[in-house]
Amino acid sequence: MQDKIKELDNKIEAAKLGGGEKRIEAQHAKNKLTARERVHFLMDEGTFEEIGMLVTHRSTNFGLEHNKPLGDGVVTGYGNINGRLTYVFAQDFTVMGGSLAEAHASKIVKIMDMAMKNGAPLLGLNDSGGARIQEGVVSLGGYADIFYRNTLASGVIPQLSAIMGPCAGGAVYSPALTDFISMVENTSYMFVTGPNVVKTVTHEEVTSEELGGASTHSTKSGVTHFTYSNEIECINGLKKLLSYIPQNCEEDAPNLPYTAGDEKREKLNTIIPQNPNQPYDIREVIAGTVDGDSFHEVHKDYAENIVVGFARLAGRSIGIVANQPAFLAGVLDNNSSKKGARFVRFCDAFNIPLLVFEDVPGFLPGTDQEWNAIITNGAKLLYAFSEATVPRITVITRKAYGGAYDVMNSKHIGADMNFAWPSSEIAVMGAKGAAEIIFKKEIKEAADSVAKWKEKEAEYADMFANPYNAAARGYIDEVIRPDQTREKLIKAFKMLENKVDVLPKKKHGNIPM
Ligand code: HXC
């Protein structure tokens, strides 16, 4: 028996070495951890159980039969993160560049199926050159098997992806189908194909960083939701993100213990500037409302005119969508609409109540917006809110103009409670523009047209630059003092905690994609 045990020990030892000492050193030299080190830092100590450590590929193409590393370049298994069951796969770049083929894919598929059956999140730590070129079509088949499961799992279990190396080809499409992507600055890249092929096909000269680095995807494309300066920060970010999210679509996110105190927040009374055209940072409103420093911003550097993220209110996890007057006056445009819509849909899929802070002058006009489909993209946000059945509350802090008033979780599209601060202006448009259109003739004919315009602007502002018309119609449930906001929200979300809302029976809707 001893020799058999020894044989097993040797195999385990060999599997743990992945692509060997030299490649591990090379990985470290690039400021990257190995797949096993990543899993070690991710999972609660002593909880990780590896599955499929001895799996090997079956290919004999291009001499691969002489290179059969145990585990086939991916570590898969389950364990706990902050005490909660989680499934994980971590690709091992030291083994054929973490490339994916039949056996590698089958290991990932196996734990995806387990995660689905057992209703627990799936985390993918991606570090892969994509489809293993030597294995041909079985590599493509393996990817498709994963994409299919990513899609079926969407909205059933949370799926988080971390990009921890150069990920190309199929290695980027699986993450793209998951809920959130995190990247590490300077060591991770995502592209359908790398700079060399780009040069051949489009004659563009571009570096990996410019083409698909963390800053590109967090600011330009919006593909990634979080960026971190190193892998440990990234791993801690994944753990933090999970803490706001339930295990699956049938459960609620974990509550933190909370002791009620004085919920009055005086600071909120002084954030809105006297001049309605002066910006302020909506994050101050968020921070002033939620528990401590619980706000965890998502997509921070992309479409900054809308702020989205998770927070806690009286210990409960909520999702926040807020217009940001400090960036482009908080206007809704193509990117902010897409960003907001995706976040709303995640929260709704996973029973996370939604809180909206609204200060929006409308949709951004112009050829750039129209040619890039602001009609379709704005409709995404409208659709996402309209379809959401989780508890939904809106607080209008200042402007709620035009179609954007409707879109930003208005009463009319199913919001449960709509509050407004006394500083709210709820109207079709700002007073200046409105006066110019509806009093055009009078302004033109007046002896002093500037004075006339001002007079008409004041008249319109008097009538509509307030929350009381909307409150009189019940579109606003209550006009509240800003310092009451937290208390009102805690009570309203508590009142809504058993909300049941059922959508009309259908196969699925047809969101304007
Ligand atoms: C097989 C691969 C590989 C691959 C890398 N390797 N990618 N082996 N298939 N796809 C191997 C290398 O041969 C090398 O082996 C080791 O991994 C490390 O690779 P290097 O090139 O030395 O590393 P680096 O310089 O860091 O470059 C990493 C890289 C580059 C940017 C990922 O290797 C690369 O461009 N790979 C190809 C990427 C690609 O075009 N993939 C698309 C596949 S098509 P040794 O033995 O020397 O250590 C695809 C289609 C799916 O994925 C479609 C689904 C929709």
Side-chain angles (χ1 to χ4, degrees), residues 23 30 93 96-97 99 129-134 140 147 166 168-170:
R23 289 195 179 88
K30 288 184 217 157
F93 192 80
M96 293 183 265
S99 58
R132 188 173 301 153
I133 297 160
Q134 300 91 320
L140 302 181
F147 301 155

Side-chain angles (χ1 to χ4, degrees), residues 157-171:
I157 52 168
Q159 301 180 81
L160 312 188
S161 300
I163 310 299
M164 298 183 132
C167 289

Side-chain angles (χ1 to χ4, degrees), residues 125-192:
L125 309 183
N126 299 269
D127 191 355
S128 167
R132 188 173 301 153
I133 297 160
Q134 300 91 320
E135 292 202 41
V137 72
V138 296
S139 310
L140 302 181
Y143 265 125
D145 289 340
I146 292 170
F147 301 155
Y148 179 61
R149 282 165 178 78
N150 282 135
T151 308
L152 295 186
S154 180
V156 181
I157 52 168
Q159 301 180 81
L160 312 188
S161 300
I163 310 299
M164 298 183 132
C167 289
V172 297
Y173 274 107
S174 171
L177 290 165
T178 64
D179 297 304
F180 294 105
I181 299 179
S182 301
M183 289 182 77
V184 182
E185 286 161 13
N186 302 316
T187 52
S188 72
Y189 310 99
M190 293 178 83
F191 26 67
V192 276

Side-chain angles (χ1 to χ4, degrees), residues 16-29:
K16 283 185 174 167
L17 270 182
E21 295 284 3
K22 260 179 114 173
R23 289 195 179 88
I24 291 174
E25 273 168 35
Q27 181 87 343
H28 287 159

Side-chain angles (χ1 to χ4, degrees), residues 333-352:
D333 60 3
N334 281 306
N335 292 347
S336 61
S337 299
K338 287 189 275 184
K339 169 176 162 178
R342 178 122 179 107
F343 186 72
V344 167
R345 280 176 78 78
F346 176 83
C347 291
D348 188 50
F350 289 103
N351 312 318
I352 298 172

